[in-house]
mmCIF file of all heavy atoms in Angstrom:
data_model
loop_
_atom_site.group_PDB
_atom_site.id
_atom_site.type_symbol
_atom_site.label_atom_id
_atom_site.label_comp_id
_atom_site.label_asym_id
_atom_site.label_seq_id
_atom_site.Cartn_x
_atom_site.Cartn_y
_atom_site.Cartn_z
ATOM 1 N N GLY A 343 -12.600 16.504 27.853
ATOM 2 C CA GLY A 343 -13.503 15.391 27.581
ATOM 3 C C GLY A 343 -14.505 15.724 26.494
ATOM 4 O O GLY A 343 -14.847 14.874 25.658
ATOM 5 N N ALA A 366 -13.109 5.849 23.085
ATOM 6 C CA ALA A 366 -12.553 5.173 24.260
ATOM 7 C C ALA A 366 -11.778 6.149 25.130
ATOM 8 O O ALA A 366 -11.883 6.122 26.367
ATOM 9 C CB ALA A 366 -11.648 4.028 23.813
ATOM 10 N N LEU A 367 -11.015 7.034 24.499
ATOM 11 C CA LEU A 367 -10.243 8.024 25.252
ATOM 12 C C LEU A 367 -11.177 9.007 25.962
ATOM 13 O O LEU A 367 -10.947 9.381 27.113
ATOM 14 C CB LEU A 367 -9.304 8.765 24.309
ATOM 15 C CG LEU A 367 -8.322 9.757 24.940
ATOM 16 C CD1 LEU A 367 -7.518 9.088 26.039
ATOM 17 C CD2 LEU A 367 -7.403 10.330 23.885
ATOM 18 N N ALA A 368 -12.252 9.421 25.272
ATOM 19 C CA ALA A 368 -13.230 10.310 25.903
ATOM 20 C C ALA A 368 -13.841 9.650 27.131
ATOM 21 O O ALA A 368 -14.040 10.292 28.170
ATOM 22 C CB ALA A 368 -14.318 10.679 24.899
ATOM 23 N N PHE A 369 -14.126 8.355 27.025
ATOM 24 C CA PHE A 369 -14.690 7.611 28.152
ATOM 25 C C PHE A 369 -13.734 7.592 29.335
ATOM 26 O O PHE A 369 -14.146 7.771 30.488
ATOM 27 C CB PHE A 369 -15.025 6.185 27.711
ATOM 28 C CG PHE A 369 -15.218 5.227 28.852
ATOM 29 C CD1 PHE A 369 -16.331 5.311 29.661
ATOM 30 C CD2 PHE A 369 -14.276 4.247 29.120
ATOM 31 C CE1 PHE A 369 -16.511 4.431 30.727
ATOM 32 C CE2 PHE A 369 -14.440 3.371 30.167
ATOM 33 C CZ PHE A 369 -15.562 3.460 30.985
ATOM 34 N N LEU A 370 -12.421 7.390 29.065
ATOM 35 C CA LEU A 370 -11.454 7.342 30.155
ATOM 36 C C LEU A 370 -11.290 8.703 30.824
ATOM 37 O O LEU A 370 -11.075 8.782 32.034
ATOM 38 C CB LEU A 370 -10.097 6.867 29.629
ATOM 39 C CG LEU A 370 -10.015 5.390 29.231
ATOM 40 C CD1 LEU A 370 -8.652 5.068 28.645
ATOM 41 C CD2 LEU A 370 -10.301 4.489 30.425
ATOM 42 N N VAL A 371 -11.397 9.784 30.038
ATOM 43 C CA VAL A 371 -11.267 11.120 30.598
ATOM 44 C C VAL A 371 -12.548 11.531 31.326
ATOM 45 O O VAL A 371 -12.507 12.084 32.420
ATOM 46 C CB VAL A 371 -10.920 12.138 29.493
ATOM 47 C CG1 VAL A 371 -10.983 13.567 30.017
ATOM 48 C CG2 VAL A 371 -9.525 11.860 28.946
ATOM 49 N N LYS A 372 -13.694 11.266 30.692
ATOM 50 C CA LYS A 372 -14.985 11.589 31.297
ATOM 51 C C LYS A 372 -15.934 10.402 31.102
ATOM 52 O O LYS A 372 -16.551 10.250 30.054
ATOM 53 C CB LYS A 372 -15.592 12.837 30.636
ATOM 54 C CG LYS A 372 -15.170 14.139 31.275
ATOM 55 C CD LYS A 372 -15.741 14.259 32.675
ATOM 56 C CE LYS A 372 -15.216 15.507 33.365
ATOM 57 N NZ LYS A 372 -15.650 15.559 34.778
ATOM 58 N N PRO A 373 -16.071 9.521 32.097
ATOM 59 C CA PRO A 373 -16.927 8.340 31.938
ATOM 60 C C PRO A 373 -18.381 8.666 31.580
ATOM 61 O O PRO A 373 -19.089 7.809 31.041
ATOM 62 C CB PRO A 373 -16.844 7.661 33.315
ATOM 63 C CG PRO A 373 -15.518 8.092 33.853
ATOM 64 C CD PRO A 373 -15.341 9.510 33.374
ATOM 65 N N GLN A 374 -18.830 9.914 31.853
ATOM 66 C CA GLN A 374 -20.203 10.286 31.499
ATOM 67 C C GLN A 374 -20.448 10.267 29.995
ATOM 68 O O GLN A 374 -21.599 10.305 29.558
ATOM 69 C CB GLN A 374 -20.537 11.686 32.039
ATOM 70 C CG GLN A 374 -20.547 11.784 33.547
ATOM 71 C CD GLN A 374 -19.185 12.127 34.112
ATOM 72 O OE1 GLN A 374 -18.172 12.046 33.428
ATOM 73 N NE2 GLN A 374 -19.149 12.508 35.377
ATOM 74 N N THR A 375 -19.374 10.229 29.192
ATOM 75 C CA THR A 375 -19.545 10.203 27.734
ATOM 76 C C THR A 375 -19.779 8.799 27.199
ATOM 77 O O THR A 375 -19.938 8.622 25.988
ATOM 78 C CB THR A 375 -18.307 10.803 27.038
ATOM 79 O OG1 THR A 375 -17.155 10.008 27.351
ATOM 80 C CG2 THR A 375 -18.056 12.234 27.493
ATOM 81 N N ALA A 376 -19.809 7.787 28.063
ATOM 82 C CA ALA A 376 -19.967 6.399 27.612
ATOM 83 C C ALA A 376 -21.186 6.178 26.710
ATOM 84 O O ALA A 376 -21.090 5.435 25.719
ATOM 85 C CB ALA A 376 -20.012 5.462 28.815
ATOM 86 N N PRO A 377 -22.364 6.788 26.988
ATOM 87 C CA PRO A 377 -23.515 6.546 26.109
ATOM 88 C C PRO A 377 -23.287 6.967 24.663
ATOM 89 O O PRO A 377 -23.961 6.458 23.761
ATOM 90 C CB PRO A 377 -24.634 7.376 26.757
ATOM 91 C CG PRO A 377 -24.234 7.489 28.177
ATOM 92 C CD PRO A 377 -22.745 7.570 28.170
ATOM 93 N N LEU A 378 -22.353 7.882 24.422
ATOM 94 C CA LEU A 378 -22.042 8.262 23.045
ATOM 95 C C LEU A 378 -21.568 7.051 22.252
ATOM 96 O O LEU A 378 -21.889 6.904 21.069
ATOM 97 C CB LEU A 378 -20.976 9.354 23.043
ATOM 98 C CG LEU A 378 -20.413 9.745 21.670
ATOM 99 C CD1 LEU A 378 -21.496 10.357 20.795
ATOM 100 C CD2 LEU A 378 -19.237 10.701 21.821
ATOM 101 N N ILE A 379 -20.803 6.175 22.902
ATOM 102 C CA ILE A 379 -20.313 4.969 22.231
ATOM 103 C C ILE A 379 -21.496 4.120 21.762
ATOM 104 O O ILE A 379 -21.472 3.535 20.669
ATOM 105 C CB ILE A 379 -19.401 4.170 23.175
ATOM 106 C CG1 ILE A 379 -18.191 5.017 23.578
ATOM 107 C CG2 ILE A 379 -18.947 2.867 22.529
ATOM 108 C CD1 ILE A 379 -17.285 4.362 24.609
ATOM 109 N N LEU A 432 -9.971 -0.549 36.932
ATOM 110 C CA LEU A 432 -10.671 0.609 36.365
ATOM 111 C C LEU A 432 -12.088 0.699 36.906
ATOM 112 O O LEU A 432 -12.563 1.770 37.292
ATOM 113 C CB LEU A 432 -10.689 0.520 34.838
ATOM 114 C CG LEU A 432 -11.491 1.599 34.113
ATOM 115 C CD1 LEU A 432 -10.893 2.981 34.365
ATOM 116 C CD2 LEU A 432 -11.547 1.311 32.608
ATOM 117 N N LEU A 435 -11.968 1.942 40.449
ATOM 118 C CA LEU A 435 -11.724 3.382 40.499
ATOM 119 C C LEU A 435 -12.991 4.170 40.177
ATOM 120 O O LEU A 435 -13.301 5.169 40.829
ATOM 121 C CB LEU A 435 -10.615 3.754 39.503
ATOM 122 C CG LEU A 435 -9.192 3.321 39.874
ATOM 123 C CD1 LEU A 435 -8.249 3.537 38.699
ATOM 124 C CD2 LEU A 435 -8.705 4.085 41.094
ATOM 125 N N MET A 436 -13.723 3.708 39.165
ATOM 126 C CA MET A 436 -14.953 4.404 38.788
ATOM 127 C C MET A 436 -15.985 4.311 39.903
ATOM 128 O O MET A 436 -16.669 5.292 40.210
ATOM 129 C CB MET A 436 -15.498 3.821 37.484
ATOM 130 C CG MET A 436 -14.645 4.132 36.270
ATOM 131 S SD MET A 436 -15.258 3.319 34.774
ATOM 132 C CE MET A 436 -16.895 4.051 34.667
ATOM 133 N N ALA A 439 -15.047 6.691 42.613
ATOM 134 C CA ALA A 439 -15.326 8.080 42.224
ATOM 135 C C ALA A 439 -16.815 8.389 42.319
ATOM 136 O O ALA A 439 -17.216 9.462 42.779
ATOM 137 C CB ALA A 439 -14.815 8.333 40.814
ATOM 138 N N ILE A 440 -17.642 7.452 41.882
ATOM 139 C CA ILE A 440 -19.091 7.656 41.919
ATOM 140 C C ILE A 440 -19.591 7.809 43.347
ATOM 141 O O ILE A 440 -20.526 8.565 43.624
ATOM 142 C CB ILE A 440 -19.805 6.485 41.216
ATOM 143 C CG1 ILE A 440 -19.557 6.544 39.707
ATOM 144 C CG2 ILE A 440 -21.306 6.505 41.498
ATOM 145 C CD1 ILE A 440 -20.066 5.317 38.962
ATOM 146 N N LEU A 509 -26.160 12.364 26.089
ATOM 147 C CA LEU A 509 -25.321 13.048 27.082
ATOM 148 C C LEU A 509 -26.160 13.952 27.976
ATOM 149 O O LEU A 509 -25.892 14.096 29.175
ATOM 150 C CB LEU A 509 -24.226 13.847 26.372
ATOM 151 C CG LEU A 509 -23.233 13.004 25.564
ATOM 152 C CD1 LEU A 509 -22.239 13.898 24.832
ATOM 153 C CD2 LEU A 509 -22.498 12.016 26.456
ATOM 154 N N ILE A 512 -28.038 11.675 30.585
ATOM 155 C CA ILE A 512 -27.230 11.257 31.730
ATOM 156 C C ILE A 512 -27.154 12.379 32.766
ATOM 157 O O ILE A 512 -27.297 12.146 33.974
ATOM 158 C CB ILE A 512 -25.813 10.858 31.264
ATOM 159 C CG1 ILE A 512 -25.884 9.625 30.361
ATOM 160 C CG2 ILE A 512 -24.905 10.606 32.455
ATOM 161 C CD1 ILE A 512 -26.500 8.413 31.019
ATOM 162 N N TYR A 523 -21.155 18.711 34.659
ATOM 163 C CA TYR A 523 -21.269 17.486 33.863
ATOM 164 C C TYR A 523 -22.133 17.653 32.622
ATOM 165 O O TYR A 523 -22.284 16.717 31.834
ATOM 166 C CB TYR A 523 -21.807 16.349 34.724
ATOM 167 C CG TYR A 523 -20.815 15.842 35.744
ATOM 168 C CD1 TYR A 523 -19.542 16.415 35.855
ATOM 169 C CD2 TYR A 523 -21.127 14.801 36.608
ATOM 170 C CE1 TYR A 523 -18.632 15.961 36.790
ATOM 171 C CE2 TYR A 523 -20.214 14.333 37.537
ATOM 172 C CZ TYR A 523 -18.973 14.914 37.632
ATOM 173 O OH TYR A 523 -18.065 14.452 38.551
ATOM 174 N N PRO A 526 -19.700 18.213 28.636
ATOM 175 C CA PRO A 526 -19.425 17.308 27.512
ATOM 176 C C PRO A 526 -20.522 17.279 26.455
ATOM 177 O O PRO A 526 -20.259 16.952 25.293
ATOM 178 C CB PRO A 526 -19.283 15.939 28.192
ATOM 179 C CG PRO A 526 -18.801 16.265 29.565
ATOM 180 C CD PRO A 526 -19.520 17.534 29.935
#
Side-chain angles (χ1 to χ4, degrees):
L367 185 53
F369 163 71
L370 289 176
V371 172
K372 272 293 175 186
Q374 295 89 346
T375 62
L378 173 64
I379 299 175
L432 175 63
L435 288 170
M436 291 176 61
I440 290 172
L509 297 177
I512 295 301
Y523 289 1

